[in-house]
Amino acid sequence: MHKLSNVLSAQKALKLVIATGLILVNIQVYAQTTTSHSPYSKFGLGQMREDLLPQTRSMGGISTAVRYQSGLPILNIANPASYSAFSRTIFEAGLYGNSTELAKGNAKDNTSDFAFSHLAIGVPLSQKFGGLAFGLMPYSDVGYNATAVKSNANLVSLETSSGEGGINKAFFGYGVSPVKGLSVGANIGFLFGELNDISSVSFPTDPSMYNARYRETRLIRGATVDYGIQYSKAISRKLNLTVGYSGSLNNTVKSKTTLLATRTEPSSDPDFQNIALDTVSFQEGLARKINLPMKHNIGFTLSKGYNWMVGADFKYADWSDFQTRVGEPSLGKNYGFAVGGQIKPDPTSVRYWNIVDYRLGFRYNQTQVKYNDRNINDMAVTVGIGLPLPETNFGMTFSRINISAEFGQQGSLSNNLVRERYINLNLGFTLNDTWFRRRSYD
């Protein structure tokens, strides 16, 4: 009976993977073209989305030295060395939501959005051969909109600048433990997507004037390599210490730019705005290579079995060699740190809320963007919970719903900057199951 039960469990899990994947793809297709609403996403490749799942985001984003949570291995994409800890197949899927208040001077605006967050699977090979993982995650996105009104004699013009689009990352990784306590791993990723920057000039008070529209589309393609190492050791009968490092090679990807300038006919109907009358200029396929930053992350975690875990990460990335566009300020260095942890009140309790994981953290980053001679800083307080679901398959299948929230601010009101105050919500579903383990009859 055990063998039959396991087969049925695997079939149900595979159906769940397929159904969830289709739902997320449809959500992504019909959602808006970007999940960023930051004016600072105009620079570089946009707003960067780190390789974090809700269960690590809620702890301030600590991830470099995370291998287990609540005694179970975790699919930690940020450090592929953690894949060597897999003992069951792990399926992860999730959604992302955002609400942002933008402020500049006395003006304010509010925006919100949602999108696909992640879809990933981790598979154990064996204690000797480690584990592998693969999946799809957002890498960065662009989303900004600025408007200026200018007057020249009796002619009033409206100049707008906006951006949209995003880059996704498909990845495949492997991690192994060559000696007891030490693990190494690497991810090979493929970046793909397009980023659009659009500027236009219109004349709202004179319908006889033609409008102008300029669109720059950057098509991004290329491979990346990230790597990591972890060392874990019991420092007492109950406490375990893990230290980790993760980084990236000096990855280079291709950017192919298409430039299109058109004249458009004015219209008060939004459905007929920006319809091109003729093409002023068109340049296709201006290709170049761009250097992605070398990243270095170090961290540690201290844990006590199923009960609690605390840790910290320190992060550094150098964007100085990134090839910016003409007229765009050069990027600098990114420094940051994160602290956080989680606690389970009583792992042996029969009361549900005593076996829930409660998470808290804080992060701070001096981003690579510098504007108006000021560094753009980003900071957030993070909270979250891990809600366990009933065990199935004779106690071999563990599922969990992970929810995280980030309450943060980027930029400030000084030096004519834009201040962003945001709430990022992440909802994730985790399934731990023995899909590929061979069973025998009782």
Side-chain angles (χ1 to χ4, degrees):
M1 292 299 293
H2 282 191
K3 186 175 184 179
L4 178 60
S5 176
N6 188 61
V7 171
L8 292 176
S9 174
Q11 290 176 347
K12 291 178 180 178
L14 287 174
K15 289 180 180 178
L16 177 63
V17 172
I18 295 171
T20 306
L22 291 174
I23 292 172
L24 290 175
V25 168
N26 280 313
I27 289 175
Q28 184 72 359
V29 168
Y30 290 106
Q32 297 183 19
T33 55
T34 181
T35 57
S36 176
H37 298 282
S38 170
Y40 304 114
S41 68
K42 180 178 181 178
F43 305 106
L45 294 178
Q47 193 86 352
M48 306 304 295
R49 306 295 183 191
E50 297 185 85
D51 295 334
L52 300 175
L53 302 186
Q55 49 268 48
T56 49
R57 282 191 184 277
S58 55
M59 299 189 297
I62 64 169
S63 56
T64 310
V66 176
R67 291 176 63 82
Y68 298 90
Q69 277 187 314
S70 300
L72 292 175
I74 180 176
L75 178 51
N76 178 13
I77 303 165
N79 192 336
S82 64
Y83 303 161
S84 65
F86 292 162
S87 57
R88 292 177 174 84
T89 299
I90 303 175
F91 167 68
E92 293 274 2
L95 296 173
Y96 165 83
N98 166 272
S99 177
T100 302
E101 178 196 76
L102 301 174
K104 184 177 182 180
N106 295 322
K108 291 186 179 181
D109 188 26
N110 292 280
T111 61
S112 60
D113 213 334
F114 74 95
F116 156 76
S117 173
H118 61 275
L119 183 65
I121 297 177
V123 180
L125 300 179
S126 69
Q127 188 174 2
K128 179 179 179 181
F129 293 105
L132 55 87
F134 54 93
L136 178 67
M137 298 188 70
Y139 181 79
S140 70
D141 52 41
V142 170
Y144 64 91
N145 196 314
T147 302
V149 178
K150 294 187 177 181
S151 179
N152 184 5
N154 294 325
L155 186 62
V156 177
S157 64
L158 187 66
E159 300 182 3
T160 64
S161 176
S162 63
E164 62 184 23
I167 302 174
N168 295 312
K169 181 172 79 170
F171 73 94
F172 178 87
Y174 175 72
V176 66
S177 178
V179 296
K180 184 178 180 180
L182 180 68
S183 300
V184 295
N187 284 327
I188 298 175
F190 179 72
L191 303 185
F192 61 97
E194 77 175 31
L195 307 176
N196 297 286
D197 298 283
I198 306 164
S199 58
S200 63
V201 179
S202 59
F203 304 91
T205 62
D206 191 346
S208 65
M209 298 286 291
Y210 286 123
N211 302 331
R213 193 168 190 262
Y214 180 83
R215 184 186 189 98
E216 177 181 328
T217 299
R218 290 174 288 162
L219 188 67
I220 307 296
R221 296 286 188 274
T224 63
V225 178
D226 306 309
Y227 54 88
I229 183 171
Q230 290 181 331
Y231 180 74
S232 186
K233 182 178 178 59
I235 58 175
S236 72
R237 292 182 58 186
K238 296 183 178 181
L239 299 180
N240 190 82
L241 176 67
T242 301
V243 295
Y245 165 82
S246 64
S248 65
L249 297 179
N250 191 16
N251 298 306
T252 300
V253 297
K254 293 182 179 179
S255 174
K256 184 179 290 187
T257 302
T258 299
L259 306 175
L260 174 64
T262 58
R263 287 194 308 164
T264 62
E265 186 175 5
S267 174
S268 59
D269 188 341
D271 293 332
F272 291 93
Q273 289 178 356
N274 299 321
I275 296 179
L277 292 174
D278 56 40
T279 299
V280 177
S281 67
F282 178 70
Q283 291 179 285
E284 184 179 18
L286 304 176
R288 66 170 180 165
K289 294 183 178 180
I290 54 177
N291 297 321
L292 299 182
M294 293 189 68
K295 299 179 181 179
H296 303 280
N297 310 308
I298 59 173
F300 76 91
T301 57
L302 181 67
S303 60
K304 180 184 177 183
Y306 294 87
N307 298 90
W308 55 263
M309 177 176 65
V310 295
D313 272 17
F314 303 90
K315 304 180 179 183
Y316 167 80
D318 188 355
W319 287 81
S320 302
D321 293 331
F322 180 85
Q323 293 86 348
T324 56
R325 291 163 291 172
V326 176
E328 181 178 307
S330 59
L331 301 179
K333 298 177 180 179
N334 183 316
Y335 302 90
F337 72 90
V339 293
Q342 74 167 40
I343 185 171
K344 188 192 295 288
D346 185 358
T348 63
S349 177
V350 295
R351 295 184 177 181
Y352 182 78
W353 294 107
N354 285 343
I355 59 173
V356 169
D357 294 322
Y358 299 92
R359 298 163 182 150
L360 181 66
F362 174 80
R363 61 174 171 79
Y364 174 87
N365 283 294
Q366 177 185 293
T367 73
Q368 65 273 14
V369 177
K370 191 172 184 177
Y371 193 66
N372 287 350
D373 293 324
R374 292 293 298 269
N375 291 312
I376 306 303
N377 299 323
D378 176 55
M379 65 186 75
V381 173
T382 65
V383 296
I385 56 175
L387 303 172
L389 300 178
E391 298 177 6
T392 59
N393 193 21
F394 301 99
M396 298 301 294
T397 302
F398 304 89
S399 301
R400 190 177 302 272
I401 296 175
N402 295 293
I403 303 172
S404 71
E406 302 170 274
F407 303 89
Q409 176 176 309
Q410 183 173 220
S412 67
L413 293 177
S414 62
N415 284 48
N416 200 32
L417 297 176
V418 176
R419 183 191 68 195
E420 302 174 31
R421 286 180 173 171
Y422 58 83
I423 301 175
N424 295 334
L425 298 175
N426 284 268
L427 173 66
F429 172 75
T430 303
L431 173 68
N432 292 265
D433 201 357
T434 53
W435 291 1
F436 307 109
R437 179 174 296 179
R438 186 172 182 175
R439 299 293 184 86
S440 58
Y441 292 99
D442 283 342

